[in-house]
Structures are given as structure tokens and as C-alpha cells.
Amino acid sequence: MKAQIIDRLTRYVKIDTQSDPNSESTPSTEKQWDLLRLLESELQTLGLSTDIDEYGYLFATLESNVDYDVPTIGFLAHVDTSPDFNATGVNPQIIENYDGQALQLGKTNRVLNPSVFPELNHLIGHTLMVTDGTSLLGADDKAGVVEIMEGIKYLIEHPEIKHGRIRIGFTPDEEIGRGPHKFDIERFNADFAYTMDGSQFGELQFESFNAAEATVTCHGVNVHPGSAKNAMVNAISLGQQFNSLLPPKEVPERTEGYEGFYHLMKFEGNVEKATLQYIIRDHDKKEFDLRKKRLMEIRDDINTHYEGYPVKVDVHDQYYNMAEKIKPLHHIIDIPKRVFAKLDITPNTEPIRGGTDGSQLSFMGLPTPNIFTGCGNFHGPFEYASIDVMEKAVQVVVGIAEEVAKKESN
């Protein structure tokens, strides 16, 4: 199976499917259709019925092979790749039997080093796919697409494995936070689903951040510096002041586990106008609300010293902690845990410190935990995929389908 995984992943990552946060269309880029159309064709070749809408949501069905009622389950992955780094000309490299040493990435000066990325120490002996240092890999989430395709193909080739009705969903624009925005829950028609969109081996995630985005706009007064005393208001300085009033330790690079943060993603402008873009994250709903409130308090504190209220803050919620919708449904987590146990996989149920379509889908009515893909260092040139762990993820897809079809499980 490893050769099949390598072949499929290589083909998919070479297709540029980068999404665009500045686009208002869905999908946000036309090039996402290139992979969607290929997947549609490959699913049909496998004998599956498919349906794809005008927004690029590709659904397919593997019908049940049992004569009793079984819940309909879904497997989901997104086709787009991150807009944060070059995704053109992806040239994947295969490393056989990884020896644990630093890897030179192509002809660049970039090095994939276990002293910087210690998770590589767990992959000694594995077959890895890495970049050539000039682009991201796109394993987020083309690895998940591969694992679903290979899992479904395996079930078709082994009809002795009993399973219920399975829905497959490949979606656009997850990387820009819009993955579920036009996802038709009724059309998908599953009782629950799993996103194959995690990272390290063993991840089984059903807790996520509460998430918001904030734009802070600072309006200045630009006059000649020679006569600026008591007249100039420097918007850049206002932005610096705003950011300095946030807790300095509550940033991504200083937090872990259940700790929340403020993340300044962009700061641009001039004396007359400056804009700061933040994302706000916290697993605890009360703390999440307090974080948003703190932005307003900082705004008000600065504005009391100036005329015209020069600092504006706009906050928009993005998604909420999916644990609220999933934890009451124990069986959705118990099913993959039983599969993990059979495959000798220790489940890692630490909360997701990132976004997943499952967060939004769970609140839309489709409970959707997240499962590992075997990849890491997403969104940049140090991205990698362990083909060995991907093979395990395929077995998890097959195992969940089989487990759900057991009469004693229902």
C-alpha cells in the first residue's frame, strides 16, 4: 500500500490548489477545481456515485453492504493548501528509511533538522515525503484526501469487510476559514463524520479553540514634522501602543495545551492610518469572551487621551469549541478509540491548537472529530509526510467503517 500512497500523494501535491483570503468567490481560486475534477473522475472510476455543487463541494457515496440499519458516516478532507507560502511547482522528495539525521531540502539552504523539529525522532526508519525547500508540500490536507481515497478503495476491493453507507466529502477553502461556509449538511446526509486533517500519529481530537478575528484600525493626524508638536498623531505609534497593552506571554510562541493567545498576524500602515490584524484563541468560552472584551478596554483606554476616538476595533467570531457538541455523543469518540486499540495506536486526545472544519460543522449539526494524517510542519517548506503513518491512517478509515457496521456497536 505504501507505493500506492506515494503515487497518489505525489500526483495530488503537484496540483496547485492554494486558496486566497482576498477572493470573495467559492472556491476562492479556480485552481482548486483542478484537483476536485480529478477526484470526481477517480471516485467515479471506483464505481461511486458523485455529486459536486457550484461551490466546489464534492460528495460521493459508498453504499452499505449489510442488510441491517447502520449509521451513515462521513470522511472529510479539504483540497486547498495554505496561502502563507509558495505552493507553485511542488517537487516532492522521497526519503527511504529515514536515519534521524538533518535533511538538506533540495538545493536550498533550508534544513529539516530534528534538533529544531524533534517529532522527527519518532519517524526513524520511516519513508518520508519532504519538499525541495522552495514550496510547501500540501500534505495539509492532501494527505487526508489520499487516506480517504485509499481507504475507500480498500473497502471496495475487500467486500468481505462489512460496512454501512459511507459519505465522502472533499471541500475547498479550509485554510482561509471558509471550509464549511457553503457545506450543505442535508445534502451530505450523514449521522456523524471524521475529518482526516490532523498531524501527529495517534491524534484523535474533539476539542478545539473558540476562535475570533479582530481588526484594529488606528487613525492618525499627519502634519509636517517640523510643526508637529501637539498636532501630529502617529497611527503607527497608536498601533504599537495597542499591541504593547496585550499580555506579552499570551502569544502562540509562548503558549501550549489549553492556553489561549492573541496572535498579531499583520501590522501595516503609515502616520495617517495603521491596521493590525489579530486572531484570538481560547478553549474556555468565558476566557474567550474576556479576551475579546480586553481588546475593547484597550481601545477605550487609548481613545480617552485623544479627540475623535482614533482607535477602532472590529471583532468577528470564526468558530467555537466543538467539544460542546461532541462530548455528549460518547460513541463518536469510542468508535475510533476501539479501532486505535486494535491497531496498537495510543490515542492522543489533546485539544487542537488550530482550525478544523469539524469545529464549524459540529455546530452546524454534523458532529465531526479530527483524526491524524501523519504529517507535520504545515504551511511551509519544512512540511513532511510519513508514508508509514499515512498507511496507519488508511487502516483507521477502514477500521472505523468496519466498527460502525458491527451489530453490537449500534
Side-chain angles (χ1 to χ4, degrees):
M1 183 180 288
K2 287 176 67 173
Q4 297 173 17
I5 291 172
I6 292 172
D7 174 71
R8 193 182 293 274
L9 184 59
T10 299
R11 290 191 292 110
Y12 293 173
V13 300
K14 287 185 175 182
I15 301 172
D16 181 359
T17 57
Q18 194 170 52
S19 49
D20 179 4
N22 298 314
S23 169
E24 295 182 359
S25 65
T26 304
S28 63
T29 52
E30 281 294 315
K31 53 192 175 183
Q32 293 181 62
W33 285 105
D34 295 339
L35 180 53
L36 287 165
R37 292 301 185 192
L38 174 63
L39 291 170
E40 180 184 35
S41 174
E42 291 184 350
L43 288 163
Q44 291 172 353
T45 299
L46 289 173
L48 275 63
S49 60
T50 63
D51 56 292
I52 187 168
D53 65 15
E54 61 185 303
Y55 302 114
Y57 291 80
L58 171 61
F59 298 161
T61 305
L62 178 62
E63 296 295 349
S64 172
N65 64 3
V66 297
D67 58 2
Y68 49 88
D69 289 338
V70 172
T72 297
I73 61 171
F75 291 102
L76 301 169
H78 62 90
V79 301
D80 67 310
T81 55
S82 170
D84 294 341
F85 196 77
N86 174 48
T88 302
V90 175
N91 182 26
Q93 311 290 302
I94 295 297
I95 309 299
E96 299 282 0
N97 194 24
Y98 174 57
D99 61 6
Q101 301 300 307
L103 296 172
Q104 183 84 25
L105 297 178
K107 297 179 180 180
T108 71
N109 60 0
R110 293 187 168 108
V111 177
L112 186 60
N113 196 325
S115 66
V116 179
F117 307 108
E119 64 271 17
L120 291 169
N121 292 313
H122 301 291
L123 304 179
I124 294 173
H126 288 216
T127 299
L128 304 183
M129 181 180 288
V130 300
T131 79
D132 68 355
T134 65
S135 72
L136 51 69
L137 182 61
D140 179 14
D141 185 30
K142 290 170 184 174
V145 175
V146 168
E147 289 155 1
I148 294 169
M149 291 293 291
E150 288 296 327
I152 295 301
K153 182 172 180 286
Y154 189 89
L155 288 169
I156 293 170
E157 293 173 346
H158 293 81
E160 72 278 7
I161 299 175
K162 302 303 178 184
H163 60 81
R165 185 171 183 264
I166 299 172
R167 290 286 275 164
I168 299 104
F170 298 132
T171 62
D173 291 342
E174 190 269 355
E175 296 292 358
I176 56 174
R178 304 179 201 162
H181 285 192
K182 296 184 184 296
F183 190 106
D184 190 332
I185 296 290
E186 291 186 4
R187 182 166 75 90
F188 192 63
N189 192 24
D191 293 292
F192 53 92
Y194 299 93
T195 47
M196 302 301 295
D197 193 19
S199 180
Q200 304 302 317
F201 183 54
E203 286 179 346
L204 173 58
Q205 300 162 319
F206 48 90
E207 295 182 82
S208 62
F209 281 129
N210 297 288
E213 59 183 352
T215 301
V216 179
T217 306
C218 303
H219 297 279
V221 178
N222 192 4
V223 297
H224 191 284
S227 56
K229 186 173 182 180
N230 299 325
M232 177 184 286
V233 177
N234 191 322
I236 298 172
S237 297
L238 288 177
Q240 291 174 323
Q241 182 182 3
F242 188 99
N243 192 63
S244 71
L245 292 172
L246 289 169
K249 293 184 179 180
E250 296 180 14
V251 292
E253 59 268 36
R254 296 187 179 183
T255 53
E256 61 184 355
Y258 283 94
E259 296 171 331
F261 58 76
Y262 302 89
H263 180 29
L264 178 59
M265 300 182 67
K266 183 183 288 188
F267 186 175
E268 58 185 4
N270 51 34
V271 173
E272 189 169 357
K273 182 180 178 181
T275 303
L276 298 83
Q277 293 182 349
Y278 291 91
I279 60 172
I280 306 160
R281 301 288 187 264
D282 208 295
H283 291 94
D284 184 272
K285 187 61 164 60
K286 290 183 179 179
E287 291 296 324
F288 175 61
D289 290 337
L290 287 173
R291 288 186 181 281
K292 293 184 289 183
K293 182 181 178 183
R294 182 176 288 168
L295 295 183
M296 303 306 180
E297 291 172 344
I298 293 173
R299 174 201 64 188
D300 294 343
D301 180 54
I302 295 175
N303 281 341
T304 58
H305 300 283
Y306 298 91
E307 294 182 0
Y309 302 101
V311 178
K312 312 293 183 184
V313 176
D314 294 305
V315 179
H316 302 283
D317 289 353
Q318 296 172 299
Y319 56 85
Y320 303 105
N321 189 343
M322 62 185 181
E324 179 181 333
K325 300 297 182 181
I326 295 176
K327 278 189 173 181
L329 306 173
H330 299 290
H331 64 287
I332 296 176
I333 299 301
D334 291 340
I335 290 166
K337 280 185 175 180
R338 290 196 294 269
V339 173
F340 279 27
K342 291 178 182 178
L343 296 173
D344 196 28
I345 301 172
T346 301
N348 175 3
T349 58
E350 291 183 3
I352 303 170
R353 289 185 60 82
T356 170
D357 281 349
S359 299
Q360 296 182 57
L361 291 170
S362 294
F363 279 86
M364 291 167 61
L366 181 66
T368 310
N370 191 42
I371 293 174
F372 70 90
T373 59
C375 310
N377 298 345
F378 295 145
H379 301 183
F382 301 104
E383 192 177 359
Y384 66 85
S386 165
I387 306 303
D388 299 67
V389 180
M390 287 185 65
E391 187 173 24
K392 282 289 189 181
V394 173
Q395 294 171 12
V396 168
V397 171
V398 173
I400 288 174
E402 185 177 19
E403 188 68 27
V404 171
K406 289 184 177 179
K407 288 185 177 182
E408 61 269 24
S409 298
N410 301 297

